[in-house]
Amino acid sequence: MMRLPWFGFRSPASVGEAARILAAEGPQAMLIAGGTDLLPNMKRRHQTPATLVSISRIETLKKVGNGSGAVLGAGLTLSEVVASPAVRENYAGLWQAAAQVATVHLRNMGTLGGNLCLDTRCNYYNQNYEWRKAIDFCLKKDGEICWVATASKRCVATSSTDCAPALISLGASVRLVSVQSEREVALADLYKNDGIDYLARRPDEILTEVKLPSPAGWKSSYWKLRRRGAFDFPVLGVAAAVKTARDGTVEEARIALGAVSSRPFLTKGGELLIGRKLGDDAIAEAGAKVASAAKPMDNTDLDLYWRKGVVAEFVGYALREIRGDDMSETRTRITRHAL
Ligand SMILES: Cc1cc2nc3c(=O)[nH]c(=O)nc-3n(C[C@H](O)[C@H](O)[C@H](O)COP(=O)(O)OP(=O)(O)OC[C@H]3O[C@@H](n4cnc5c(N)ncnc54)[C@H](O)[C@@H]3O)c2cc1C
Ligand code: SF4
């Protein structure tokens, strides 16, 4: 049985108090929300914080706000996000992503903020301490070599969050609060293509909320590839959001990829749709362009060449769903998950 290491525990009731604790304790303290990523990691000795600062008592982090767009508190559980009629109706891509994270139990505990700050994953890293010791560890934790790309000085562990690509395609931004500062950053800019230093967030910063722009004219969709439909991390995530005029001509389009790099990112390809209707030719061209940006590594489930090979197909599923095609049968067949 894997046991947790010893740690101190604080449970502040406000963002200000949590920020003061983080500032006083320094990088040895870590935030914990649902703990569904952090606690297994601590058991495997990936992270061994001296103090955990829980945000679960902070009510302001659980708010849902509506204006011209939406504001979602980082402390909302994924089940709460999925249960929100406004999310389902206005931001379908986010709803589909959140609904496919892990299992019901994990979504009941796991939060939106925790999902966006999820540690990167790798077959050589997500193992217990003894397993990792037997291979002399690796760059990401305790070692000196990357077993996936042995000549690489950089860890290429994979970003495996489902909600991030969906939210990036929707044009979301996040608020980061610390004792020193309060800033809003585009979600796409929160991520760095580095498996170790994967977030542009300082250790003393708390992600407090996610802001979504107005959904007027937009439709979105998220498609996830994984081995088991019941639960599994994504080994490919394709998120698309498209704004069309009344006659169906595309005015704006954003396509984001997850699980094919150390960060979720906006790809080229969406621009090929602008000024056109979502016809099969336009969709195929966009799919091919997006696929050329996907560079999966051999460090997750399923063959990497096959994962790259299906990117264009997945872009096609997302765009055809946005076009209004009934994709329910395809979704159940391909992703083994009815939504
Ligand atoms: C079996 C299993 C399957 C899973 N499958 C999936 C999956 O399919 N897709 C997926 O995306 N995830 C999956 N997960 C990961 C996880 O359950 C979810 O990503 C969940 O949303 C994480 O949220 P949390 O609140 O539990 O995060 P925590 O574990 O509490 O925290 C995760 C990280 O985020 C930081 N953090 C948390 N909240 C904040 C905040 N407000 N501000 C700044 N930093 C913060 C923590 O310090 C920590 O580094 C799976 C986990 C397990 C165990
Ligand atoms: S990509 Fe390389 S350095 Fe990063 S976790 Fe995997 S083996 Fe370790």
Side-chain angles (χ1 to χ4, degrees):
M1 185 174 73
M2 288 191 290
R3 289 179 188 279
L4 283 168
W6 290 101
F7 56 88
F9 187 74
R10 307 286 298 273
S11 185
S14 70
V15 171
E17 196 187 341
R20 283 192 293 279
I21 296 171
L22 285 182
E25 299 263 337
Q28 279 306 305
M30 279 186 83
L31 289 171
I32 181 166
T36 60
D37 182 50
L38 184 55
L39 293 177
N41 277 4
M42 287 172 64
K43 287 184 177 178
R44 295 186 291 245
R45 304 304 188 260
H46 294 146
Q47 284 104 36
T48 51
T51 306
L52 286 183
V53 182
S54 169
I55 56 168
S56 59
R57 276 204 316 135
I58 307 178
E59 289 303 320
T60 52
L61 295 182
K62 296 174 188 165
K63 285 201 174 136
V64 181
N66 296 309
S68 64
V71 179
L72 301 174
L76 288 169
T77 65
L78 295 173
S79 293
E80 287 166 336
V81 172
V82 172
S84 159
V87 171
R88 186 164 196 175
E89 199 169 309
N90 298 325
Y91 305 103
L94 171 62
W95 186 87
Q96 291 168 336
Q100 292 181 83
V101 170
T103 62
V104 175
H105 302 84
L106 288 158
R107 290 196 295 275
N108 286 345
M109 289 299 294
T111 62
L112 186 59
N115 190 254
L116 298 182
C117 297
L118 188 68
D119 195 6
T120 53
R121 297 181 62 79
C122 171
N123 288 342
Y124 295 90
Y125 173 71
N126 294 102
Q127 305 288 349
N128 67 30
Y129 183 84
E130 287 71 27
W131 192 103
R132 293 189 295 113
K133 188 176 178 198
I135 61 160
D136 203 17
F137 303 104
C138 76
L139 268 184
K140 184 159 161 73
K141 179 70 179 151
D142 301 325
E144 288 174 7
I145 190 168
C146 171
W147 294 110
V148 179
T150 47
S152 176
K153 297 256 182 295
R154 182 173 68 81
C155 164
V156 291
T158 305
S159 168
S160 306
T161 148
D162 279 303
C163 294
L167 281 165
I168 287 173
S169 74
L170 288 163
S173 57
V174 291
R175 181 162 291 278
L176 296 168
V177 176
S178 70
V179 165
Q180 277 176 28
S181 64
E182 197 165 333
R183 61 188 177 120
E184 190 176 318
V185 295
L187 182 59
D189 296 337
L190 182 66
Y191 299 101
K192 299 199 269 183
N193 197 17
D194 181 321
I196 298 172
D197 189 17
Y198 59 95
L199 286 180
R201 163 194 167 256
R202 297 195 314 267
D204 65 337
E205 285 182 313
I206 304 166
L207 195 161
T208 57
E209 64 187 28
V210 178
K211 275 174 105 170
L212 283 149
S214 164
W218 287 87
K219 283 189 178 167
S220 57
S221 172
Y222 178 75
W223 284 70
K224 169 175 180 169
L225 175 67
R226 56 179 162 181
R227 186 181 291 270
R228 297 169 294 186
F231 83 104
D232 256 336
F233 282 91
V235 289
L236 167 66
V238 173
V242 177
K243 186 180 187 195
T244 48
R246 277 174 187 273
D247 68 351
T249 304
V250 174
E251 293 178 335
E252 288 180 68
R254 288 189 288 259
I255 301 173
L257 288 176
V260 290
S261 159
S262 295
R263 62 172 178 153
F265 61 99
L266 270 181
T267 68
K268 291 217 180 336
E271 73 285 354
L272 297 177
L273 303 170
I274 292 171
R276 303 164 76 179
K277 303 242 165 90
L278 279 181
D280 289 345
D281 288 351
I283 289 175
E285 281 172 41
K289 184 87 177 186
V290 173
S292 67
K295 306 224 170 354
M297 299 302 293
D298 194 10
N299 57 359
T300 64
D301 196 10
L302 302 180
D303 177 77
L304 82 153
Y305 299 105
W306 186 77
R307 283 163 56 211
K308 184 172 169 67
V310 297
V311 172
E313 294 290 314
F314 272 61
V315 172
Y317 300 146
L319 292 176
R320 277 159 44 207
E321 190 166 61
I322 287 172
R323 182 170 71 182
D325 293 14
D326 179 1
M327 299 299 291
S328 50
E329 203 178 297
T330 311
R331 192 179 276 284
T332 310
R333 182 168 51 85
I334 301 288
T335 70
R336 303 197 189 95
H337 195 285
L339 281 177

